[in-house]
Amino acid sequence: AQSVSQHNHHVILSEAASLELGCNYSYGGTVNLFWYVQYPGQHLQLLLKYFSGDPLVKGIKGFEAEFIKSKFSFNLRKPSVQWSDTAEYFCAVNSGSARQLTFGSGTQLTVLP
Amino acid sequence: DTAVSQTPKYLVTQMGNDKSIKCEQNLGHDTMYWYKQDSKKFLKIMFSYNNKELIINETVPNRFSPKSPDKAHLNLHINSLELGDSAVYFCASSQEQGFPYEQYFGPGTRLTVT
C-alpha cells in the first residue's frame, strides 16, 4: 500500500522567508502527486499537481513543487511567504490505477507578520 | 454556484443516534468520495464511488454507509453514532476521464457526538 510522509508537522516562519515543505511517498510505480492547502476553517483547495512531464510544477499563489523520482519526493516551495499563507498543507498521492488519494499527515505553516 | 456542497455544516448529536450528511456536486463528475479528518487534521479516505463500483476502506466500520441516489449525490449515513465518530467529514468529487483523479472538495461537515 502506498503511504505519504510529511516530516514537518509545524513550521513557523517570518514574512518574506523562504519555504520548503517536505513530502515523500512510498510507491514504486506511476504516481500522481498533489499539494492541497486548507486555510483555517475552510475546505481543501488544490495548490498544484504533477502527472507527467516537467518535474518542476508551478501552482497558484506563487507555490511550486519539484518531483524527484529517485528520492520519491515532491517538496513544496515558495520563495517568499506571506502572513496569508498561514494554513495546513497536505501532500497527497494516488497511483496510476487508484482513484483514492492517500494524504500525508499535514504540515501546519504559521507565518508571523 | 458552489462546485461541491455539503449539508449540514455543523452537526451535534448524541451517542446512539443515526444521522446523515448530504453531498452534492454540480461539476458533472462521475466519482465521489468521503474523507474523515480527525482532530489531528489527518485525512483518511472512507469511500469512493462511481456508477461502476463502490470501494470501501476496510477500516471503516459498517455503521457508515454511503448512499448515492444519482451521479451528483453521495450521502453518508451513520448508524449508532459513537464518540469517536466526532470529526470533520469531507466530500469530494473527480472525473475519471481527463486529468487523473484531481479531486474537488466540499466545505466539510463538523460532526460532534456527545
Side-chain angles (χ1 to χ4, degrees), chain B:
Chain B
D1 57 347
T2 305
V4 183
S5 60
Q6 295 178 228
T7 54
K9 190 171 175 62
Y10 300 97
L11 181 55
V12 181
T13 188
Q14 292 183 326
M15 285 175 57
N17 286 348
D18 301 339
K19 290 292 178 186
S20 292
I21 305 172
K22 295 185 177 180
C23 177
E24 176 181 2
Q25 54 93 6
N26 62 6
L27 297 166
H29 288 166
D30 60 8
T31 306
M32 297 183 73
Y33 311 80
W34 277 104
Y35 288 87
K36 179 181 180 180
Q37 187 176 45
D38 63 23
S39 58
K40 296 183 180 179
K41 299 288 185 78
F42 187 66
L43 271 161
K44 194 171 184 181
I45 182 72
M46 300 178 72
F47 306 100
S48 72
Y49 180 80
N50 69 11
N51 58 4
K52 298 171 189 172
E53 65 179 328
L54 169 67
I55 298 175
I56 303 172
N57 185 315
E58 59 190 15
T59 66
V60 175
N62 58 14
R63 298 181 294 103
F64 290 78
S65 56
K67 299 189 189 304
S68 180
D70 55 56
K71 261 180 58 171
H73 297 84
L74 184 66
N75 303 327
L76 181 65
H77 190 76
I78 315 169
N79 289 326
S80 303
L81 278 155
E82 300 178 358
L83 291 176
D85 298 333
S86 295
V88 181
Y89 292 84
F90 287 98
C91 177
S93 72
S94 70
Q95 181 61 31
E96 191 157 343
Q97 305 300 322
F99 280 120
Y101 316 134
E102 178 178 340
Q103 295 183 19
Y104 293 79
F105 283 79
T109 295
R110 182 174 293 277
L111 171 65
T112 303
V113 183
T114 62

